Amino acid sequence: MEFLQFLIFFIILVVKSVDCGNQFSRDDFPADFVFGSGTSAYQVEGAAAEDGRTPSIWDTFAHSGITHGANGDVACDHYHKYKEDVQLMVDTGLEAYRFSISWSRLIPNGRGLVNPKGLQYYNNLINELISHEIQPHVTLHHSDLPQALEDEYGGWLNRKIVYKFSFEKQHGFLGLNLFAYWFVPFRNTTEDAIATKRANDFYLGWFLNPLVSGEYPITMKKNAGSRMPDFTNLESKQIKGSFDFLGVNFYNTLYVKDNSDSLKKEHRDVDADMAVQLIPMLDNSSTVEFPVTPWGLQGVLEYFKQVYGNPPVYIHENGQRMQRNSTLEDWPRVMSLSGYIEGLLHSLRNGSNVRGYFTWSFLDLFEMLDGYESSYGLYYIDLDDPDLVRHPKLSA
Ligand SMILES: *[C@@H]1O[C@H](CO)[C@@H](O)[C@H](O)[C@H]1NC(C)=O
Ligand SMILES: *[C@@H]1O[C@H](CO)[C@@H](O)[C@H](O)[C@H]1NC(C)=O
Ligand SMILES: *[C@@H]1O[C@H](CO)[C@@H](O)[C@H](O)[C@H]1NC(C)=O
Ligand SMILES: *[C@@H]1O[C@H](CO)[C@@H](O)[C@H](O)[C@H]1NC(C)=O
């Protein structure tokens, strides 16, 4: 069996109190609650063709020109600057760093031998973090499947790929990450209330129902019909309860409007099956900034508590988008952080099983769809600067 082996050491940190002028502080959170920030491999590492790394599907996607002509060939050059970046994490007071492992750097063809230089890099990064008492939280796959596996198997649609991704569980705590929205009915109608429930089933239930009850949500099975695969009894048993925690990415609260007409469409895909229209809270706002809705994050946590038995949750991503070159005085991001962290405290106090908060992102990095146009970072990097010097923003 091919496998990735990781030792993840969790260090209990001495808790420091942070005075940010709010009505709450670090001391209001449990000592083992963790505050960190995150990145992902393709978005920060650069060194795309160095030391044996081969392309992932994300390299291909970016080089197709879809991200405003930008790509992650160099990105933040984190691959070479990781020591400096870990020092910045110390300066920032981070207790943890969430990063991902580039599969095609570690195992260039996606299968077969481990690339010693790739392994060395991740070992070095982890050692650097641990020696500075920063917990490594490792993402094993962040949208960057090796292109070789895409070519050979057609990617994740092929069951065989599961065996390529299998790894041995050692120490640590294993979970999966969900991209969550909080949904609210657009109109005060029964149709929109049902549509909101359906949106939750499609966005969260698709993954959580099998993990909690061994079955896909009934609405999904009904609307997708024979296009929804069934689990065998054995599979159902195996997946049930097979996670230690949920990672949650939360950025937005959306209105949901019933769109049952899409069920009459001949060409049916997941959107047509979901049969809703999602409407942003600020549809045509002139800024790139997201509306700050801590109550939406609290809604998601409350939903996990009431519907899925309150599993341990880490907020893996939450942050504020701004124009990349705008300003180091990133007040909208400061206000967003403050609002969401306060909201989290309310959830905790009301019994939610939330264990940590990671703000996206540590650096201004290569964004999935925006390229380098917008950013979420605590540190600004001028892309015209050959040294790619990191500049702290107010949020840092
Ligand atoms: C929503 O509709 C119900 C039933 O028609 C009504 O009682 C309620 O006041 C309405 N709520 C709002 C916020 O309009
Ligand atoms: C925003 O969008 C709504 C509906 O799409 C439209 O009625 C309104 O005029 C728009 N407002 C601005 C300021 O563009
Ligand atoms: C607090 O938790 C209780 C029990 O789950 C729930 O009924 C209530 O709605 C929660 N409050 C908020 C503000 O979410
Ligand atoms: C950011 O500013 C730099 C330097 O002025 C400029 O070269 C670059 O094009 C700007 N990028 C964006 C996305 O505005």
Side-chain angles (χ1 to χ4, degrees):
M1 185 175 72
E2 297 161 20
F3 58 87
L4 307 175
Q5 285 187 321
F6 301 105
L7 292 173
I8 305 172
F9 299 99
F10 292 118
I11 295 165
I12 311 277
L13 294 167
V14 177
V15 180
K16 285 181 283 182
S17 172
V18 179
D19 179 13
C20 34
N22 290 309
Q23 298 304 305
F24 58 94
S25 73
R26 179 65 179 93
D27 289 338
D28 290 309
F29 288 80
D32 59 359
F33 190 94
V34 66
F35 283 98
S37 185
T39 63
S40 92
Y42 186 66
Q43 298 179 272
V44 290
E45 284 179 4
E50 240 174 275
D51 291 345
R53 181 184 180 278
T54 64
S56 72
I57 57 172
W58 205 342
D59 296 64
T60 311
F61 180 71
H63 279 270
S64 75
I66 205 158
T67 41
H68 303 275
N71 60 60
D73 287 358
V74 177
C76 305
D77 199 23
H78 189 56
Y79 186 74
H80 296 110
K81 292 177 179 288
Y82 72 90
K83 283 194 179 175
E84 179 187 323
D85 288 339
V86 171
Q87 186 54 52
L88 290 180
M89 292 171 204
V90 174
D91 298 346
T92 314
L94 295 190
E95 298 166 348
Y97 177 48
R98 171 177 175 254
F99 62 96
S100 79
I101 287 177
S102 160
W103 189 344
S104 65
R105 188 184 296 290
L106 193 65
I107 305 173
N109 295 312
R111 58 194 300 190
L113 295 179
V114 167
N115 169 18
K117 288 194 170 159
L119 185 62
Q120 188 66 55
Y121 167 67
Y122 292 110
N123 272 340
N124 289 346
L125 173 59
I126 289 169
N127 289 340
E128 192 71 14
L129 289 166
I130 290 171
S131 70
H132 288 89
E133 299 194 336
I134 295 177
Q135 297 177 15
H137 286 236
V138 183
T139 302
L140 295 179
H141 182 69
H142 194 119
S143 309
D144 56 353
L145 187 75
Q147 184 65 46
L149 293 183
E150 180 73 17
D151 295 344
E152 192 174 347
Y153 296 100
W156 289 106
L157 292 178
N158 190 328
R159 273 175 186 239
K160 284 186 194 153
I161 206 151
V162 171
Y163 302 103
K164 303 297 159 211
F165 188 62
S166 300
F167 54 88
E168 206 158 86
K169 181 171 175 177
Q170 296 208 339
H171 301 276
F173 215 47
L174 275 172
L176 79 164
N177 174 283
L178 299 176
F179 199 103
Y181 293 103
W182 183 236
F183 296 121
V184 290
F186 186 64
R187 299 163 300 191
N188 185 15
T189 61
T190 310
E191 287 79 10
D192 284 1
I194 294 172
T196 300
K197 170 79 180 99
R198 204 160 56 236
N200 276 321
D201 280 344
F202 274 72
Y203 269 87
L204 302 173
W206 192 354
F207 312 99
L208 278 177
N209 282 40
L211 288 168
V212 171
S213 67
E215 297 272 3
Y216 286 121
I218 291 163
T219 21
M220 285 196 82
K221 291 210 253 190
K222 180 164 163 273
N223 290 6
S226 61
R227 286 175 295 115
M228 190 101 201
D230 249 337
F231 294 113
T232 63
N233 285 340
L234 179 63
E235 285 171 335
S236 204
K237 253 189 216 150
Q238 284 174 331
I239 52 172
K240 218 170 143 173
S242 64
F243 68 107
D244 298 324
F245 71 87
L246 291 180
V248 172
N249 297 2
F250 180 89
Y251 292 95
N252 278 300
T253 298
L254 301 174
Y255 289 119
V256 178
K257 199 172 170 181
D258 176 64
N259 185 27
S260 289
D261 279 353
S262 71
L263 293 173
K264 296 179 196 141
K265 277 189 190 169
E266 211 163 307
H267 173 74
R268 289 272 287 278
D269 57 12
V270 66
D271 279 328
D273 290 341
M274 183 159 53
V276 302
Q277 187 191 347
L278 298 178
I279 302 167
M281 297 229 134
L282 287 180
D283 204 0
N284 38 19
S285 127
S286 60
T287 72
V288 295
E289 290 152 29
F290 297 136
V292 178
T293 57
W295 52 273
L297 177 59
Q298 291 170 252
V300 170
L301 292 169
E302 189 61 29
Y303 189 76
F304 288 158
K305 186 168 90 183
Q306 294 187 11
V307 180
Y308 295 107
N310 208 16
V313 170
Y314 286 88
I315 307 305
H316 265 168
E317 292 186 21
N318 171 245
Q320 180 57 285
R321 181 171 67 179
M322 292 178 69
Q323 212 51 263
R324 176 157 181 137
N325 272 352
S326 48
T327 172
L328 293 177
E329 306 255 310
D330 57 344
W331 277 105
R333 186 166 294 110
V334 171
M335 299 315 287
S336 170
L337 272 164
S338 167
Y340 280 111
I341 293 172
E342 184 172 12
L344 214 51
L345 188 55
H346 292 313
S347 291
L348 254 172
R349 287 180 171 161
N350 199 35
S352 274
N353 196 0
V354 57
R355 307 288 182 90
Y357 175 86
F358 291 78
T359 191
W360 185 265
S361 52
F362 184 58
L363 304 170
D364 278 356
L365 40 72
F366 175 70
E367 274 301 332
M368 181 169 286
L369 298 173
D370 287 349
Y372 298 106
E373 300 288 312
S374 65
S375 68
Y376 298 74
L378 304 179
Y379 286 82
Y380 169 68
I381 299 173
D382 178 355
L383 296 171
D384 291 335
D385 170 3
D387 294 328
L388 298 174
V389 170
R390 283 78 163 118
H391 303 274
K393 301 183 200 175
L394 195 57
S395 55

